Amino acid sequence: MKKILVTGGSGFIGSHTCLLLLEEGHEIFVIDSHINSSPKSLERLSTIIEAENIFLNGKLHIYKGDLRDNKILKKIFLDANKNGGSIDAVLHFAGLKSVSESFNSPMLYWDANVNSTINLLKVMEANNCKTIIFSSSANIYNSKTPQLTTENSEINPVNPYGRTKAVIERILTDIFESASDTWRIANLRYFNPIGAHPSGFIGEDPQGVPSNLFPFITQVAAGRRKELTIFGNNWPTKDGTGVRDYIHVMDLAEGHLRALKYLLDSKPRLLNLNLGTGKGTSVLELIETFEKVNKVSIPYSFVNRRKGDLPITIASNELCKTCLNWTPQRTLEDMCRDGWKWQLQNPKGYFNSNENF
Ligand code: NAD
Ligand code: UD1
């Protein structure tokens, strides 16, 4: 059992990872400002865990606060020390993630993503906690070719959001190089996480109009939006629509647990790893699979390409497979089925949800 600080643990990927951490018996300390999430996600974890006959026994500690607030961070580390031991590692999910918002409010993104991380790192160092897994993104690459993106592909983000991720990776690399015999760091570069926990109790809950494809599809299927607009039908791809590497959020969460174990069991090191499936799916293929698996219809029309879009991004996941002995297990059908179950059980996300599911 380890003591793990999870930043942004109420969010989409964080909540699924918290569930697995609790299932493995870890004690977790979650900090989240709820700027893009609901506290209900963590309440739901207890429901899932209890249904599995696992007893939390005070192993889930929740703090509402912002990472830029030193006081709350220090308090968490102090609290963790109370019953002996200390925070062993940090899973750092907290951050803002909208590309379009980052174009409109770059200062907000630099402050929320980079300054938060610097603050966190300072408090970690002061408490001699030197193991961190950082939520990076495929967005740091700017792959213009159909080849698989490897960890050595050029880093050249084209929007403020991606630049904050690349800079945080740079900061972490500098810190590692300054004391490479003490830090254990993993920059996990996610491709396109979708789906939900198979229970349908936790899932993705975007605020406002979803900017990503999958939540848009589920909301169209549910009748919450009239139709999907597809950004371009003339891309140099198999059917003219954009191709992405979709990965089930549970596979992604499991990747974090592997990375955590790997880091804690090995000597200090810095890892840069892609988390993806290595398979490309076009927009039309995703729609077709979703319709078939869930027996629903997704009306759509084509519009112009979206600013900043790329034709194809697919991960090479060879490094992750060999290093972490981790391979994504779930299919595109699983992603579509689980994501739809979440949408059906929570038509308005966590907001106004019927807790008697
Ligand atoms: P999310 O918005 O659902 O979760 C992020 C959480 O962090 C939210 O609960 C939010 O309230 C919290 N948060 C934000 N700023 C905070 C701050 N300053 N202090 C405390 N809490 C704060 O997003 P997600 O999809 O779960 O993504 C998690 C991480 O993974 C993010 O850093 C994101 O940039 C990165 N990422 C996500 C994707 C994706 O497609 N979802 C892809 C690549 C990388
Ligand atoms: C987008 C972001 C990326 C971010 C990622 C995860 C842009 C340009 N890129 O990536 O920085 O890391 O989300 O948050 O915003 N599509 C439609 N109609 C829609 C929505 C999307 O056709 O309503 C298409 C897109 O053109 C793309 C595919 O669906 O071809 C996937 O889009 P999306 O889910 O937004 O993911 P990314 O483009 O990979």
Side-chain angles (χ1 to χ4, degrees):
M1 191 277 282
K2 300 287 181 194
K3 293 189 180 188
I4 313 291
L5 169 60
V6 185
T7 77
S10 298
F12 174 43
I13 306 168
S15 57
H16 289 77
T17 309
C18 282
L19 177 63
L20 296 188
L21 288 166
L22 292 169
E23 285 175 349
E24 278 215 347
H26 299 295
E27 181 171 359
I28 65 173
F29 299 76
V30 177
I31 176 168
D32 202 302
S33 62
H34 301 310
I35 190 165
N36 196 38
S37 58
S38 162
K40 283 188 183 163
S41 63
L42 295 177
E43 288 167 24
R44 299 260 184 111
L45 293 192
S46 315
T47 311
I48 301 173
I49 294 270
E50 277 156 24
E52 291 169 347
N53 285 327
I54 298 170
F55 297 100
L56 280 176
N57 292 332
K59 284 185 178 169
L60 171 58
H61 310 269
I62 301 171
Y63 298 81
K64 181 177 187 308
D66 194 292
L67 278 188
R68 286 160 290 190
D69 175 1
N70 256 331
K71 269 193 252 144
I72 192 159
L73 276 177
K74 286 180 182 163
K75 178 173 169 25
I76 296 173
F77 276 86
L78 271 178
D79 288 353
N81 293 349
K82 270 183 195 154
N83 306 320
S86 53
I87 300 280
D88 295 289
V90 176
L91 266 58
H92 180 29
F93 295 100
L96 301 179
K97 63 169 183 176
S98 159
V99 170
S100 53
E101 189 183 39
S102 79
F103 274 118
N104 297 330
S105 310
M107 284 295 280
L108 175 70
Y109 271 66
W110 286 101
D111 189 37
N113 290 357
V114 179
N115 286 342
S116 289
T117 305
I118 291 174
N119 221 22
L120 170 68
L121 289 164
K122 280 186 189 164
V123 178
M124 285 177 66
E125 190 161 42
N127 286 277
N128 203 27
C129 172
K130 295 191 170 184
T131 301
I132 181 167
I133 296 180
F134 169 58
S135 297
S136 189
S137 170
N139 201 265
I140 64 168
Y141 303 115
N142 180 19
S143 108
K144 292 224 161 61
T145 61
Q147 273 94 38
L148 297 186
T149 304
T150 73
E151 287 79 356
N152 293 325
S153 296
E154 187 193 2
I155 297 199
N156 181 20
V158 292
N159 52 62
Y161 162 72
R163 284 192 274 273
T164 66
K165 292 289 180 189
V167 162
I168 294 168
E169 283 205 10
R170 185 65 249 171
I171 293 169
L172 288 166
T173 306
D174 286 347
I175 287 175
F176 177 76
E177 286 171 357
S178 72
S180 59
D181 53 345
T182 57
W183 282 88
R184 292 175 170 81
I185 298 173
N187 293 313
L188 300 185
R189 299 168 180 168
Y190 313 154
F191 279 64
N192 291 63
I194 60 170
H197 188 265
S199 65
F201 287 180
I202 54 172
E204 186 172 15
D205 185 16
Q207 312 295 303
V209 182
S211 55
N212 294 119
L213 178 63
F214 191 77
F216 209 106
I217 288 179
T218 62
Q219 293 192 7
V220 171
R224 220 174 129 180
R225 312 208 174 266
K226 205 165 130 259
E227 67 168 15
L228 170 73
T229 49
I230 300 180
F231 300 138
N233 60 357
N234 55 358
W235 292 100
T237 58
K238 42 190 158 186
D239 58 21
T241 63
V243 169
R244 295 292 182 271
D245 184 339
Y246 297 99
I247 175 167
H248 197 296
V249 65
M250 292 304 296
D251 277 326
L252 196 69
E254 283 168 11
H256 284 75
L257 266 79
R258 291 294 177 96
L260 179 66
K261 185 166 169 25
Y262 182 81
L263 281 184
L264 290 172
D265 289 351
S266 61
K267 64 181 186 359
R269 65 183 67 231
L270 170 76
L271 295 170
N272 294 317
L273 293 175
N274 288 342
L275 290 190
T277 63
K279 292 182 198 129
T281 303
S282 73
V283 175
L284 289 176
E285 285 173 334
L286 183 59
I287 293 173
E288 196 188 325
T289 307
F290 194 93
E291 290 183 326
K292 204 159 134 199
V293 169
N294 297 317
K295 300 187 176 47
V296 291
S297 163
I298 311 292
Y300 62 80
S301 62
F302 291 105
V303 294
N304 288 339
R305 293 178 179 185
R306 176 173 64 177
K307 183 183 166 196
D309 254 352
L310 295 168
I312 302 180
T313 53
I314 308 173
S316 158
N317 60 7
E318 290 309 313
L319 196 57
C320 213
K321 280 186 192 160
T322 46
C323 186
L324 303 183
N325 192 19
W326 167 85
T327 312
Q329 300 295 316
R330 284 120 180 133
T331 62
L332 194 67
E333 283 75 11
D334 296 329
M335 302 178 212
C336 290
R337 192 182 43 250
D338 295 340
W340 180 229
K341 185 169 183 186
W342 154 255
Q343 172 70 52
L344 277 181
Q345 285 183 194
N346 307 273
K348 291 186 177 170
Y350 291 109
F351 182 71
N352 271 350
S353 57
N354 171 13
E355 291 300 334
N356 304 315
F357 33 71

